[in-house]
Amino acid sequence: MAYIISTINLKGGVGKTTTTVALAEFLSAEFHKRVLVIDLDPQTNLTTVFIGEERWKQLNDKDRTLSTLFKDALRPEEEEPRFDITTALQRRVSPIDEVRRVDLLPSSLDLIDVQDRLATMSPGRFYSNNPTDLLRKAVKPIIDDYDYVLVDCPPNLGIVTLNGLRISDGYIIPTIPDVLSTYGIPQIQQRVRAFADGLGETITEIGIVVTKFRKASTVHTNTVRRLKDDPQLPAVLSSYVPEANQIAASAEHVAAGTLRQKYGYQGQHDILRALTEEFISLVEEKV
């Protein structure tokens, strides 16, 4: 069975997508895992990192993104659904040669408009339709093909995010160690816990991933200490992703032979590998 983990933060620009991409690529290349990445964020950054803007536009024009899945729920019941998991699923998407098995369910800008309308979807026959259950039903035929599924959630707690959490065993919170980026962590915890309780299930707190870390910053070091000392917060993973130009540049769709070429030779690769190894250990321990 796959381990399904969501990445979430209520603030944008905190390295959430970069963290998800790095984990997916290192899980595949360094730890030989079969990985599926599900992009639920309407900004589509994760999608374009893996397949580029041109290929994304082709898929979007052909209704082969996750927005089509959610749009189907808003169509009259007599209309045939347009979403097809077999054509939407993009296989072996990373532009890095040594990353052999990362597949993708791509996002779309159209998710911005769809999300607010999902609460009005038809209840369906025998009231079988639930707006937070759409993704679970769609991915059920393919989910067991993978060791890890990473779900990149939007920076909110709306219905699309709840679809990601609905299929998840746990979640991580990537964050810059400053006040604004960490402010919403308790709210995430409370909302996820309440949602899981309503389902009668458990969605485990895997941990906080510190991103864009500046060792020389007093704010950053003090914030990390505060996060680690607060018993009410999830555990802080011990590998802090540094603020580095090459890691920032990794958000571009650029071909490379190896992960060292992509992420950098000045320790960035080793930190991200260590982060992934710790991530695997925590997931397998907690889930």
Side-chain angles (χ1 to χ4, degrees), residues 27 54 78 111 118 137 166 227 240 245-246:
L27 281 166
E54 183 177 345
E78 60 270 15
L111 278 174
L118 285 172
K137 292 179 179 178
R166 175 68 180 89
L227 294 174
Y240 309 155
N245 289 337
Q246 200 147 355

Side-chain angles (χ1 to χ4, degrees), residues 40 70 131-135 159-167:
L40 292 180
F70 294 110
T132 65
D133 212 29
L134 299 170
L135 181 64
I159 290 177
V160 170
T161 298
L162 294 179
N163 268 267
L165 292 170
R166 175 68 180 89
I167 67 170

Side-chain angles (χ1 to χ4, degrees), residues 215-265:
K215 191 174 182 179
S217 167
T218 302
V219 171
H220 282 204
T221 54
N222 287 343
T223 302
V224 169
R225 187 179 301 113
R226 174 178 60 81
L227 294 174
K228 293 173 72 173
D229 290 345
D230 190 334
Q232 301 301 316
L233 296 180
V236 178
L237 276 72
S238 59
S239 297
Y240 309 155
V241 181
E243 185 174 61
N245 289 337
Q246 200 147 355
I247 291 179
S250 70
E252 301 294 328
H253 178 71
V254 178
T258 68
L259 293 177
R260 284 191 186 276
Q261 288 176 318
K262 175 174 180 176
Y263 290 103
Y265 293 91

Side-chain angles (χ1 to χ4, degrees), residues 121-157:
M121 64 178 275
S122 165
R125 192 180 183 194
F126 306 120
Y127 298 94
S128 60
N129 289 343
N130 184 321
T132 65
D133 212 29
L134 299 170
L135 181 64
R136 185 184 69 84
K137 292 179 179 178
V139 301
K140 189 175 181 181
I142 65 169
I143 211 75
D144 289 337
D145 294 339
Y146 300 95
D147 301 307
Y148 279 83
V149 178
L150 304 180
V151 186
D152 192 27
C153 295
N156 59 55
L157 291 167

